[in-house]
Amino acid sequence: MSEGATTTANGSANKKSAPRRATAESMAKKQREISVSEFFAKNRHMLGFDNPRKALLTTIKEAVDNSLDACEEAGILPEIWVHVEQTGESRYKAAVQDNGPGILKKQIPLIFGKLLYGSKFHRLRMSRGQQGIGISAAGMYAILTTGKPIKIVSKTGKNKPAHYYELRIDTKVNKPEILNGKGDGEDIPPGEKGEKYIQDNGIEWETHLHPESLDDTPKPLAHGTRVSLELEAKYQRGKGSVDEYLEQTAIANPHVTLHYTDPSGVQRTYRRATDILPPEATEIKPHPYGVELGRLVSMCKESNESSLSGFLTNSFSRVSPTIAKQICDKAKLSTRMRLKRIDRDHAEHLYAAIQDTKISNPTTDCIVPIGEDQLLKGLHSVVPAEFYAAATRPPAVYRGNPFQIEVALAYGGNVETQKITKDLLKELLYETDARTVRQFLILTFNGLGPDAADKILKTSKLGTRKSPNKMKPKEVDILFDAMQNVNVNEGQSMNVYRYANRVPLQFQHGDCAITKTIAGTNWRSYGLSQSRGNLPSGPVTIMVHIASVWVPFTNQAKEAVASYDEIQKEMRLALQTVGRKLGMFLRRRMKVKQQADRRSIFRRYLGEVAQAVSDINGVEKEDIYEKLLQVAKKKTAEADMVFDESGKAIDPAQADYGGGVLIVEKDEEEMLADMLNRPAEAAPSSSSDDAQNELFDEDEDEADDE
């Protein structure tokens, strides 16, 4: 019998009465407003909290970004403390403190306990935060996963009290709920009394700035803010980790000092490379080209201007009275037309006239690029290499928003597989989620491509399907030896650092316009090997930075930059600029090596040739040797090309990279390592050859002295 039928006493079957359908009135009663925090609580993956490991990084990132913005806006050289501590099997406490200006008491609950509350969304100027959603979203995630409140301490002056709050977010209404001080927080008095109160109540607070040197006396911290959250998380080193994020932050922000304590208790400090703060960005008005029709209608309704001309000149940047008249004439509207009379048809004509009028690009003092010198300093302080190049493009515009592209490149140096210790390797193997050792190598070490991983596995003979979590101590030793001794420079893939408004982007590499543009650039022209559509191979680290008043991210988590044609064009031009400098360096280095090889051949046979000519012609051997020596040195002069620390040849006629270049001479240990990684040349076979070599070297030294 089919479902939905019943049998009566006489055996007949009757269908059940149909379920009662909802009426319009009953449906209307179910409708209610959705709080923004309630929405993101159910869709937290949109904000970067889709897994425990990513949640920890996003929490640290949002707090550090806020600290840097606050310090720079107040004209304070930033000093930031980051502390990650494990409190349970899958729980971590993340704390970030800065020496910024502090936050007013009444603003603290709103900033940390209300989503979409901030000062950066409506203003057009470069800043790390944009939406007023980051740190409050981190607090919401922490409360949802552990139930522990957000703890905030903020102080605005030396002799002023510190404000201490414990709060949670009421997601139903998107409002903060203060849990301590009878709903009003607590004030901690300044001085020794306050320090005792902090100590007695277990409140975490850095009381002194770290001295720059051991001889300096620590200075009391007069102002700043600290936020602590306990959340469900996972700490893991390697790509996409807190460690990598902080290291990359130090590159793009050479004016910051970062103190980092990881869950193992290991403390690391990234000292600032410069004491100069970046210039303060200036707020600008929206550009007419960046305003869509619906927004134009809203601006007309919200404006207090009386005339159409006044509205255009005072509401937009780069619109003078002359430009306003041109727009009105093309729209067939009077400049004196009352703004309240503007309807949708008028606005549509006005919008079309704006697009048809030539208006200058917006001013660019609203964005602050890092600058080529600072890019070189930042990259050199973190990434060991022998050649550095940087390029900053002129400002450009997309959708009326000014932006600027910067690119820095580092070539050379050892990969991370050759820099770690055996103990660290064991920790990484224990922490990883990778299923195979090959996958572990590729995902953990930046710049290590599949080919390089295969070379290590082939040498270690571990097999491609070996699980990293099940490796025996002997197998770990074998893997470590292979990682240290295998030359993986040829199989190394380009390491890409992506930045937006000085903030590192850690996830969604493949969806980002930066990665797509790099892969679409022809790096073979600049001396690197590259397969079509992929990143090039080689010991290269490249950093791409976009600075804009409004970065077009692909989602609210701010993980990747959208592919606008104007942005990708500027990226491509900047990449080509540093690519040409790298190609010039590699070609000249190859030429120097070739000339050095020729000179080496001359060294071996110069004495014998001089002796043979002397025997035939009866000419003095020393005279012939001296003349042959001069000819050899002249023919191989490029082997003596020497560059200064900025990358320019000692003789300016020999090399000119066009600025933005730093070349670092390798020390003897690094040069020996390079020699061990290539076939050794045959050694001279006799003592007479040794004498000739010494004579040749002496002549070179004399020439250098002259």
Side-chain angles (χ1 to χ4, degrees):
M1 187 176 292
S2 61
E3 185 179 352
T6 58
T7 304
T8 62
N10 59 8
S12 61
N14 294 326
K15 290 185 178 179
K16 283 186 176 179
S17 58
R20 184 180 179 184
R21 295 186 178 276
T23 63
E25 290 79 6
S26 63
M27 292 173 65
K29 291 178 181 178
K30 296 178 182 178
Q31 304 294 327
R32 67 181 182 88
E33 182 181 357
I34 302 172
S35 163
V36 63
S37 54
E38 189 177 12
F39 171 80
F40 281 119
K42 291 185 177 181
N43 297 278
R44 58 194 184 197
H45 60 278
M46 298 175 67
L47 302 176
F49 297 94
D50 45 340
N51 65 69
R53 185 187 182 200
K54 196 173 173 183
L56 179 61
L57 172 62
T58 303
T59 298
I60 296 293
K61 182 180 82 70
E62 295 296 348
V64 171
D65 289 353
N66 287 354
S67 293
L68 288 170
D69 274 341
C71 289
E72 290 174 9
E73 196 166 338
I76 299 169
L77 276 171
E79 186 156 350
I80 298 175
W81 293 262
V82 178
H83 185 196
V84 180
E85 179 184 351
Q86 187 167 8
T87 58
E89 184 177 350
S90 59
R91 287 190 177 187
Y92 286 83
K93 182 171 65 176
V96 176
Q97 182 176 335
D98 60 60
N99 64 330
I103 306 172
L104 294 177
K105 183 177 181 179
K106 64 180 181 179
Q107 292 291 325
I108 294 174
L110 296 172
I111 290 173
F112 292 94
K114 185 180 179 70
L115 270 70
L116 292 178
Y117 182 88
S119 60
K120 302 169 186 175
F121 184 84
H122 295 98
R123 68 184 188 186
L124 288 176
R125 53 171 285 185
M126 174 180 162
S127 63
R128 293 171 181 81
Q130 291 186 173
Q131 303 162 341
I133 205 172
I135 191 62
S136 52
M140 180 184 68
Y141 173 83
I143 294 165
L144 287 173
T145 55
T146 67
K148 297 290 186 71
I150 314 166
K151 297 181 180 180
I152 305 105
V153 180
S154 190
K155 189 175 182 181
T156 58
K158 181 179 179 181
N159 297 319
K160 294 183 178 180
H163 310 300
Y164 174 58
Y165 279 93
E166 293 182 7
L167 55 88
R168 62 184 296 274
I169 301 174
D170 186 346
T171 56
K172 294 291 184 183
V173 292
N174 188 32
K175 288 184 178 179
E177 182 181 342
I178 303 169
L179 305 178
N180 66 326
K182 297 181 180 179
D184 196 34
E186 299 176 33
D187 290 338
I188 303 173
E192 295 182 0
K193 187 177 179 181
E195 291 182 13
K196 186 177 185 303
Y197 182 89
I198 288 173
Q199 188 175 3
D200 292 344
N201 290 273
I203 300 172
E204 296 178 349
W205 177 255
E206 294 284 344
T207 58
H208 289 78
L209 294 168
H210 284 220
E212 293 293 329
S213 65
L214 295 175
D215 298 331
D216 294 341
T217 303
K219 297 179 180 178
L221 185 65
H223 41 72
T225 301
R226 184 184 185 96
V227 56
S228 302
L229 308 99
E230 188 169 338
L231 64 155
E232 182 181 311
K234 181 178 181 181
Y235 172 79
Q236 187 174 321
R237 297 180 179 89
K239 292 183 181 179
S241 65
V242 174
D243 306 59
E244 184 188 52
Y245 161 75
L246 293 175
E247 184 177 279
Q248 292 185 22
T249 298
I251 295 175
N253 301 273
H255 58 287
V256 66
T257 293
L258 269 171
H259 308 284
Y260 171 47
T261 305
D262 68 16
S264 302
V266 178
Q267 296 182 351
R268 272 165 285 177
T269 296
Y270 299 94
R271 293 286 179 189
R272 61 175 58 95
T274 177
D275 290 334
I276 302 174
L277 274 168
E280 185 178 359
T282 305
E283 184 176 355
I284 63 168
K285 296 175 182 177
H287 193 270
Y289 288 164
V291 177
E292 295 171 326
L293 178 58
R295 177 61 184 149
L296 182 62
V297 173
S298 299
M299 291 179 69
C300 289
K301 291 180 179 179
E302 296 166 0
S303 177
N304 294 323
E305 297 292 333
S306 57
S307 67
L308 180 57
S309 177
F311 165 72
L312 292 172
T313 54
N314 295 322
S315 300
F316 298 102
S317 64
R318 295 300 196 181
V319 178
S320 62
T322 303
I323 296 294
K325 188 175 186 309
Q326 291 179 19
I327 294 172
C328 292
D329 290 344
K330 289 183 180 181
K332 297 181 180 180
L333 299 173
S334 171
T335 55
R336 296 183 180 181
M337 183 177 183
R338 294 178 63 83
L339 202 59
K340 293 181 179 179
R341 293 179 57 194
I342 298 288
D343 56 20
R344 195 193 178 287
D345 290 337
H346 292 142
E348 193 162 352
H349 287 97
L350 193 63
Y351 177 78
I354 288 173
Q355 307 306 313
D356 195 40
T357 304
K358 188 175 181 180
I359 305 173
S360 301
N361 287 338
T363 57
T364 55
D365 54 357
C366 54
I367 53 177
V368 181
I370 301 171
E372 292 181 0
D373 290 342
Q374 299 301 329
L375 282 170
L376 292 173
K377 286 181 181 178
L379 203 57
H380 181 229
S381 66
V382 176
V383 180
E386 54 184 300
F387 175 82
Y388 302 84
T392 298
R393 290 286 304 162
V397 176
Y398 83 95
R399 286 181 53 196
N401 296 311
F403 74 96
Q404 199 162 2
I405 298 295
E406 299 180 286
V407 172
L409 176 147
Y411 179 87
N414 295 329
V415 293
E416 292 181 353
T417 55
Q418 298 174 337
K419 295 187 290 186
I420 68 167
T421 63
K422 188 180 295 185
D423 290 338
L424 179 56
L425 176 61
K426 291 178 181 177
E427 290 183 26
L428 293 172
L429 288 168
Y430 175 76
E431 294 171 355
T432 185
D433 292 329
R435 295 182 179 180
T436 64
V437 175
R438 183 178 186 272
Q439 191 181 48
F440 161 75
L441 291 171
I442 296 171
L443 295 178
T444 304
F445 300 102
N446 283 319
L448 193 73
D451 294 340
D454 290 339
K455 288 177 70 174
I456 293 174
L457 290 175
K458 185 177 180 180
T459 303
S460 63
K461 299 179 181 179
L462 290 173
T464 57
R465 296 189 177 183
K466 187 71 178 179
S467 174
N469 303 119
K470 297 179 181 179
M471 292 181 66
K472 298 177 182 178
K474 188 176 181 180
E475 292 174 326
V476 175
D477 294 341
I478 293 172
L479 178 62
F480 179 75
D481 291 338
M483 291 168 61
Q484 296 296 307
N485 298 317
V486 173
N487 179 20
V488 294
N489 282 346
E490 294 180 1
Q492 185 178 350
S493 63
M494 175 182 278
N495 187 21
V496 178
Y497 291 164
R498 301 171 298 134
Y499 291 86
N501 287 354
R502 298 177 182 257
V503 179
L505 309 179
Q506 300 292 91
F507 299 100
Q508 296 191 7
H509 299 268
D511 295 334
C512 187
I514 294 174
T515 308
K516 292 176 182 177
T517 308
I518 294 173
T521 302
N522 181 15
W523 292 95
R524 292 185 295 275
S525 303
Y526 311 125
L528 300 178
S529 59
Q530 180 186 22
S531 57
R532 185 180 296 274
N534 293 321
L535 294 174
S537 300
V540 186
T541 297
I542 195 158
M543 166 187 174
V544 179
H545 175 233
I546 173 173
S548 178
V549 297
W550 187 260
V551 179
F553 292 113
T554 57
N555 58 20
Q556 292 89 341
K558 300 181 289 187
E559 296 171 340
V561 178
S563 299
Y564 280 87
D565 291 339
E566 300 92 333
I567 294 175
Q568 288 189 289
K569 177 186 175 183
E570 288 297 315
M571 286 181 187
R572 194 175 299 111
L573 292 171
L575 290 168
Q576 289 171 350
T577 300
V578 296
R580 285 192 294 270
K581 295 176 182 179
L582 173 63
M584 192 183 302
F585 169 76
L586 292 179
R587 286 192 295 272
R588 284 176 176 159
R589 193 177 69 166
M590 180 61 69
K591 208 165 187 180
V592 169
K593 184 180 182 303
Q594 290 172 347
Q595 296 302 321
D597 291 342
R598 290 181 66 196
R599 179 173 291 183
S600 178
I601 295 172
F602 287 146
R603 278 184 175 184
R604 295 176 192 172
Y605 303 110
L606 208 58
E608 295 181 11
V609 172
Q611 183 63 55
V613 174
S614 177
D615 293 342
I616 294 171
N617 296 338
V619 183
E620 287 292 330
K621 175 185 174 182
E622 288 75 12
D623 294 340
I624 296 174
Y625 183 81
E626 288 293 334
K627 291 180 180 179
L628 289 173
L629 183 63
Q630 292 177 6
V631 173
K633 292 183 67 175
K634 183 178 180 181
K635 293 294 183 182
T636 61
E638 291 192 28
D640 296 322
M641 187 182 290
V642 179
F643 301 96
D644 62 20
E645 62 180 8
S646 66
K648 294 183 179 179
I650 299 301
D651 180 2
Q654 287 183 301
D656 183 12
Y657 289 98
V661 168
L662 174 66
I663 295 179
V664 179
E665 292 185 6
K666 291 187 175 183
D667 57 28
E668 294 181 3
E669 186 176 334
E670 290 175 313
M671 294 184 71
L672 178 60
D674 282 350
M675 293 176 65
L676 293 174
N677 284 333
R678 60 175 181 259
E681 296 179 352
S685 58
S686 67
S687 58
S688 60
D689 290 336
D690 293 338
Q692 292 168 10
N693 290 335
E694 290 176 6
L695 179 60
F696 198 95
D697 293 337
E698 288 173 4
D699 290 333
E700 285 185 15
D701 294 339
E702 290 175 5
D704 291 339
D705 292 339
E706 292 174 2

